Amino acid sequence: MKENKKLKFSFLIVAMISLSLLLAMIPTTFNFIINSRGVMTSYMHEDKKLIEDDFYKSKAFDEALIRPLLYWTSTSVIDENDNRNYEFKEHYEKTKDSTKKQLSYIKNMKYIAINKDTNEVYSNTDYKSIEDFKKNIKGECDVELSSNNDVISYTKQIKDKTFKKLNVNKELRDVLNYNPYDFEVCISINQNFENYGYYDKVSQIKEDFDSEVIYFKIIIVSSIISLILFIVSIVIYKKMKCEVLDRNSFYLKLYKIIPLEIYFLADICLLCILLETIETGYSVYYYYNVLDHLVYTFICIFGLFTIYYILRKEIKSFDKPIEILKTSLIVRVLILGKKIFKDTNKVTKSVPLAKRIIILAALSVGVGTIGWFIGFLFGSTLLLFLFGPILSLTIVILYVYYLIKKLAYLSYIMEGTERIKGGDIHYKLDIIGDDNFSNLAENINNIGEGLDKAIYNQLKSERLKSELITNVSHDLKTPLTSIINYIELIKKEEDIKPEHIKDYVNVLDSKSKRLKVLIEDLFEASKASSGNLELNMEKIDITQLLRQAIGEMEEKLSKANLDLKLRVPEEKTYIMADGKKLYRVLENLLSNISKYSLNNTRVYIDIIEEDDKVKLTMKNISSYELNFDPEEIMERFKRADESRNTEGSGLGLAIARDLVNAQGGRFEIDIDGDLFKSVVEFNLID
């Protein structure tokens, strides 16, 4: 078993090293790309490659070589009229001489530059025209740069292939601080580079490019090897059943002795070093060292993985992950302090809080007085002089801590009572200690249980009443249906005598049908309030449903001579609701408007979108005095017409409220003088 643990540990180390190396190569390679001359294909070529083998097609050639050459060659033929940024002639003359000096150091290249405005020529050959230069000079790579009306074109010929771009202002314009509007530059790179014994820009850039290509190929191979090693090692590590660090491992117990803060501090340090290394590699070119960067990055990543592995094993060794906080130095100090204060509190637990405060004050004053007296009696030495104040302060601190602790518990009890008061009657307070506060908490818990029982009995009573109403309504339907059917049969009889019997039959017909409506309303109100509704929730256009309901109620509204003012959005307004149930709500509200509105008045119906809500408001002037509470009118069997001279069951608003609530909406009533306002609100959906 021990051998298996060692073997598994070896595979773990290999996996961590290979993964750390793989991850370290990513920022190292990225920084090298940023700081390198450029091994990718340049903007002049369509066949892009991540690593370009041909130096003349690479980014290094066009960015690191052609850009400065363009600046030097074009600046070598400028005159006063081309001086755009400087006022003094001697300044641009010095710049012109400086660029010619830079060009004189380049030996593996032939070039010619012509200012087409002044015909000034500068070249390291004997040719005086572009045509003669191109005719007689052929190198491994020939470049022609031409500016016409301030637009730069670029032509490159590599062996027998020609690459051309008519406008490279975006790529090259920024290097031309001094330049003529119209110029032409030809550059020819020698086929065989010669060593002149000192720095040559062309050969140096070519050597850098070759080195970088080799480096990237090594990186790719190394990354593949690291990835393969990681996969193989981690697979073998996972398949081995033994644990490198189990719960009883000596090393794991040793790791737990190290405070959690040390691990966090080490993580922060490693992370800071890693970020600093990456940032330094990104921002510094001349002092950039690939090997150093890779080593530092690898050490930081490997260290982070190691700390993560140890902490993960520590967390798994506890029954609950949160218990790892026990290894924290701060938590250890707090636990020790808690134990000390707990032992101290046991001594004074049986003494009431008020007496403890009095004892605290008396003890502090007494000890302080004795200390001052002893100091005065024995010559006022510094030790005796400070004995009383220090001891008094210590006692005060201990008792203040105890007092704060008890006041915190009292605050906790007050918060608990607020929660119970807010409706959370199942909330229970924790019983801490054995004193007056704990007794108070226990009594509050008992009150909550009593409230819970009372509410349960009340809900049970409400449920029984709803069931009774439902059952009675259902039982009344059958005989009432028979009565209505027989009345219909009597009405069909042609020879009914005496004649006044027909009047009786018509009255019976009217009253029985009204009774049927009342029973149906009662049955539906009972179902809605008890929550026994079957809902078919779907996407509904509330505007269209409102128009449909108004159309159905148009006759009743017209009879009351009501002027309907409808204001709805032009676009469709969708909500999630049961179409039939919501239609019943609208029907009830419109029916109330037709019954109780003052004749020859206006009725305002609006649909308004606010944030993610849809509000449907109906406002009308009542024909009765509205001397009741809005909540009261929504109770079952409550009517605005207290004399009950009008038709109605007093259930319309109660049914509307319960149906809206059952569909997840909100229903409310508002009264302002004789203005009666009902509001139906739902969530807006797309």
Side-chain angles (χ1 to χ4, degrees):
M1 181 63 72
K2 288 184 179 180
E3 293 299 325
N4 289 338
K5 284 186 177 182
K6 290 181 180 179
L7 185 60
K8 186 172 183 178
F9 179 73
S10 300
F11 282 111
L12 173 66
I13 295 299
V14 172
M16 290 174 62
I17 290 175
S18 56
L19 181 59
S20 300
L21 187 61
L22 180 63
L23 294 177
M25 288 181 184
I26 295 173
T28 305
T29 305
F30 177 76
N31 284 327
F32 194 77
I33 291 174
I34 295 298
N35 294 304
S36 69
R37 301 290 187 180
V39 297
M40 296 180 291
T41 308
S42 80
Y43 58 86
M44 281 294 296
H45 305 277
E46 299 296 333
D47 51 336
K48 302 294 184 183
K49 294 180 182 178
L50 182 63
I51 301 177
E52 178 61 64
D53 294 327
D54 190 343
F55 168 65
Y56 299 108
K57 294 174 66 177
S58 70
K59 180 182 175 183
F61 180 78
D62 285 320
E63 294 291 331
L65 183 61
I66 295 302
R67 282 172 62 86
L69 288 178
L70 175 61
Y71 168 71
W72 291 333
T73 52
S74 61
T75 305
S76 67
V77 292
I78 60 171
D79 66 352
E80 290 180 286
N81 296 324
D82 298 318
N83 183 23
R84 303 177 191 178
N85 298 326
Y86 297 92
E87 298 179 358
F88 302 106
K89 179 179 179 181
E90 59 271 14
H91 192 96
Y92 82 84
E93 287 291 348
K94 288 180 180 179
T95 303
K96 191 173 179 180
D97 294 339
S98 175
T99 56
K100 290 181 178 180
K101 186 176 181 181
Q102 291 288 342
L103 288 171
S104 67
Y105 294 147
I106 301 176
K107 301 299 182 182
N108 283 300
M109 180 187 79
K110 300 291 189 295
Y111 60 86
I112 183 173
I114 297 179
N115 186 333
K116 290 188 285 186
D117 293 328
T118 62
N119 293 322
E120 183 180 355
V121 178
Y122 185 75
S123 175
N124 62 350
T125 67
D126 295 331
Y127 302 107
K128 300 300 180 182
S129 68
I130 295 293
E131 291 74 15
D132 291 341
F133 183 89
K134 291 195 292 185
K135 182 178 179 181
N136 294 285
I137 301 295
K138 285 292 180 181
E140 191 169 3
C141 177
D142 298 308
V143 173
E144 183 178 357
L145 294 155
S146 178
S147 175
N148 291 310
N149 296 323
D150 219 24
V151 176
I152 304 173
S153 63
Y154 183 4
T155 304
K156 181 196 294 185
Q157 185 170 355
I158 305 173
K159 297 180 180 177
D160 296 331
K161 292 185 178 180
T162 301
F163 306 92
K164 189 169 185 178
K165 202 167 185 179
L166 297 178
N167 190 335
V168 289
N169 281 32
K170 179 180 177 182
E171 292 83 2
L172 299 177
R173 169 58 60 191
D174 60 308
V175 302
L176 301 176
N177 293 330
Y178 307 90
N179 63 294
Y181 282 97
D182 295 309
F183 68 88
E184 193 166 2
V185 173
C186 284
I187 299 170
S188 180
I189 308 298
N190 295 352
Q191 293 189 3
N192 298 314
F193 286 6
E194 298 181 15
N195 185 2
Y196 290 93
Y198 53 86
Y199 173 81
D200 178 68
K201 189 173 185 64
V202 180
S203 58
Q204 184 62 50
I205 293 175
K206 179 68 167 61
E207 290 173 5
D208 290 345
F209 171 78
D210 293 337
S211 300
E212 288 164 10
V213 169
I214 294 172
Y215 168 77
F216 276 106
K217 290 180 178 179
I218 292 173
I219 281 288
I220 292 172
V221 173
S222 301
S223 300
I224 294 172
I225 294 173
S226 298
L227 181 61
I228 294 171
L229 275 176
F230 169 71
I231 294 173
V232 172
S233 302
I234 203 67
V235 168
I236 296 174
Y237 172 81
K238 290 289 185 181
K239 285 189 175 182
M240 297 181 74
K241 301 299 181 183
C242 62
E243 285 290 339
V244 176
L245 294 175
D246 54 27
R247 285 195 172 193
N248 300 319
S249 172
F250 168 77
Y251 293 104
L252 189 58
K253 292 178 181 178
L254 186 63
Y255 295 146
K256 288 182 180 179
I257 297 174
I258 302 174
L260 190 62
E261 291 85 354
I262 299 296
Y263 290 114
F264 287 155
L265 186 61
D267 270 339
I268 293 172
C269 291
L270 288 173
L271 195 59
C272 290
I273 295 172
L274 178 62
L275 294 176
E276 180 68 22
T277 303
I278 293 173
E279 184 180 359
T280 303
Y282 175 80
S283 59
V284 179
Y285 169 67
Y286 292 106
Y287 300 98
Y288 179 70
N289 187 296
V290 177
L291 184 58
D292 289 348
H293 187 279
L294 183 62
V295 169
Y296 283 123
T297 307
F298 167 77
I299 291 173
C300 292
I301 295 175
F302 184 79
L304 291 171
F305 277 143
T306 303
I307 294 172
Y308 166 76
Y309 177 79
I310 293 173
L311 288 178
R312 184 168 172 269
K313 287 297 181 180
E314 283 191 22
I315 291 173
K316 290 180 68 176
S317 67
F318 292 104
D319 294 330
K320 296 179 180 179
I322 195 67
E323 291 181 358
I324 194 175
L325 294 177
K326 292 180 180 179
T327 64
S328 168
L329 182 61
I330 297 174
V331 174
R332 290 172 184 174
V333 172
L334 291 177
I335 292 173
L336 180 61
K338 181 181 178 182
K339 185 177 182 303
I340 293 172
F341 284 118
K342 187 176 181 181
D343 294 340
T344 305
N345 290 333
K346 283 182 180 179
V347 180
T348 58
K349 183 179 69 173
S350 59
V351 182
L353 183 61
K355 290 183 179 179
R356 293 174 198 171
I357 295 173
I358 295 172
I359 292 172
L360 163 65
L363 189 61
S364 300
V365 172
V367 171
T369 303
I370 293 172
W372 282 96
F373 178 74
I374 292 174
F376 176 77
L377 188 64
F378 290 93
S380 299
T381 62
L382 182 62
L383 179 62
L384 294 176
F385 185 76
L386 295 177
F387 170 77
I390 290 175
L391 187 57
S392 297
L393 182 61
T394 303
I395 296 171
V396 169
I397 290 173
L398 292 175
Y399 271 95
V400 166
Y401 167 78
Y402 177 79
L403 182 61
I404 291 173
K405 182 178 178 182
K406 287 301 177 183
L407 291 176
Y409 186 43
L410 177 60
S411 177
Y412 164 72
I413 294 173
M414 293 173 66
E415 290 175 1
T417 56
E418 286 292 331
R419 289 186 61 172
I420 296 172
K421 174 185 173 184
D424 189 3
I425 58 176
H426 298 289
Y427 180 74
K428 297 295 181 185
L429 294 168
D430 295 332
I431 308 300
I432 302 175
D434 184 17
D435 53 19
N436 296 337
F437 288 150
S438 59
N439 292 335
L440 175 61
E442 189 173 359
N443 291 336
I444 291 173
N445 286 342
N446 293 334
I447 292 173
E449 292 176 0
L451 286 172
D452 190 16
K453 186 179 294 184
I455 292 172
Y456 172 76
N457 292 332
Q458 184 179 357
L459 291 174
K460 182 178 179 182
S461 175
E462 287 291 331
R463 187 173 64 254
L464 290 174
K465 284 195 290 185
S466 296
E467 290 177 357
L468 176 62
I469 293 171
T470 303
N471 293 334
V472 170
S473 302
H474 187 270
D475 291 340
L476 287 174
K477 278 186 176 181
T478 302
L480 180 61
T481 303
S482 299
I483 291 171
I484 293 172
N485 290 338
Y486 279 113
I487 290 173
E488 290 294 328
L489 291 174
I490 293 172
K491 287 171 65 178
K492 290 179 181 179
E493 293 292 333
E494 296 179 357
D495 189 16
I496 298 177
K497 292 182 180 180
E499 285 294 327
H500 63 269
I501 298 297
K502 292 182 179 180
D503 296 332
Y504 298 158
V505 171
N506 290 333
V507 172
L508 286 172
D509 182 42
S510 174
K511 298 302 180 182
S512 62
K513 288 180 178 177
R514 184 182 176 193
L515 181 59
K516 181 181 179 182
V517 172
L518 291 175
I519 291 174
E520 288 177 349
D521 284 350
L522 184 61
F523 185 71
E524 186 168 4
S526 178
K527 287 181 65 179
S529 63
S530 62
N532 294 326
L533 287 172
E534 292 184 3
L535 297 175
N536 180 25
M537 304 295 286
E538 57 185 347
K539 186 176 180 181
I540 292 174
D541 180 7
I542 190 172
T543 304
Q544 181 181 357
L545 192 65
L546 174 63
R547 292 184 186 276
Q548 182 181 344
I550 292 173
E552 293 289 335
M553 297 295 296
E554 186 175 4
E555 184 178 352
K556 288 186 177 181
L557 296 170
S558 299
K559 285 182 180 180
N561 294 323
L562 298 175
D563 184 9
L564 197 64
K565 299 294 183 181
L566 183 64
R567 188 180 65 174
V568 296
E570 295 181 359
E571 298 181 355
K572 294 183 178 182
T573 305
Y574 290 107
I575 62 171
M576 188 63 68
D578 185 319
K580 292 182 179 179
K581 301 294 187 295
L582 185 56
Y583 182 82
R584 178 63 192 277
V585 172
L586 300 178
E587 187 180 42
N588 284 0
L589 296 177
L590 292 170
S591 177
N592 279 355
I593 289 173
S594 67
K595 291 176 185 177
Y596 303 118
S597 292
L598 186 65
N599 288 344
N600 301 312
T601 58
R602 298 184 186 88
V603 177
Y604 294 93
I605 302 177
D606 300 329
I607 293 180
I608 302 172
E609 297 180 10
E610 292 182 354
D611 298 330
D612 296 331
K613 303 289 184 181
V614 177
K615 282 188 178 180
L616 167 61
T617 61
M618 296 185 181
K619 293 179 283 187
N620 65 286
I621 303 298
S622 175
S623 60
Y624 301 94
E625 184 180 357
L626 301 178
N627 56 354
F628 48 78
D629 186 82
E631 292 296 327
E632 182 184 356
I633 195 64
M634 285 193 289
E635 296 300 323
R636 287 177 286 179
F637 309 111
K638 184 68 180 177
R639 295 173 59 181
D641 177 16
E642 294 291 347
S643 63
R644 295 183 176 267
N645 291 326
T646 57
E647 293 185 1
S649 60
L651 294 169
L653 292 178
I655 292 173
R657 177 196 61 191
D658 293 336
L659 288 177
V660 170
N661 292 341
Q663 296 174 78
R666 186 176 66 87
F667 180 82
E668 65 178 19
I669 296 297
D670 189 21
I671 294 173
D672 185 5
D674 290 335
L675 178 65
F676 185 87
K677 177 182 176 183
S678 58
V679 180
V680 177
E681 183 180 288
F682 280 93
N683 290 328
L684 178 66
I685 63 174
D686 296 329

